[in-house]
Amino acid sequence: GGPPDLGALAYRPLLGIAPADLRFAVAAGHRDPPPQRIEIQNGGESPLSWSAHASGQSWLRLSATSGATPAALDVSVRVAGLTPGAYTETIQITPSLEGELPALVRVTLAVVPSPPRRR
């Protein structure tokens, strides 16, 4: 035996997330870049509750940690105290239905050295 063959039925996630990749870039010591928005839709008909979670990086902020579709989630970054370099984080947006896989949004923050000040 083995698992049943489901044929050409591809798995379609319940939550539609766009974009799936956010990129921020800022010079060290400068003000935080403006937030970016993730649109959260339900692949089905009715509103769907969801929760959002990031693994706790202090530089990443979410405007909400739960809601219902359709929704917008604003993602902002705080660069205070960060040294120049590349930082990555993944936001998990999980539908409230048991057994559904979370949608993943990759967040990349590039902190570049500040240009030298002109005298």
Side-chain angles (χ1 to χ4, degrees):
D5 181 10
L6 298 179
L9 289 177
Y11 174 75
R12 200 163 146 253
L14 213 49
L15 287 178
I17 307 292
D21 206 350
L22 297 179
R23 295 173 187 274
F24 295 90
V26 66
H30 286 201
R31 69 173 53 135
D32 297 336
Q36 295 186 39
R37 176 163 286 184
I38 300 169
E39 298 290 338
I40 304 172
Q41 305 290 336
N42 180 4
E45 300 293 317
S46 54
L48 180 64
S49 297
W50 53 268
S51 61
H53 172 78
S55 65
Q57 299 289 346
S58 59
W59 53 268
L60 185 71
R61 297 273 190 270
L62 304 178
S63 63
T65 54
S66 63
T69 59
L73 180 64
D74 287 333
V75 179
S76 54
V77 295
R78 296 185 47 159
V79 296
L82 294 180
T83 57
Y87 299 83
T88 58
E89 171 68 288
T90 301
I91 301 168
Q92 286 192 1
I93 302 173
T94 307
S96 59
L97 289 177
E98 198 170 322
E100 281 295 316
L101 297 174
L104 302 179
V105 178
R106 183 180 165 92
V107 181
T108 306
L109 168 61
V111 179
V112 298
S114 292
R117 296 184 190 275
R118 293 202 174 116
R119 297 191 184 277

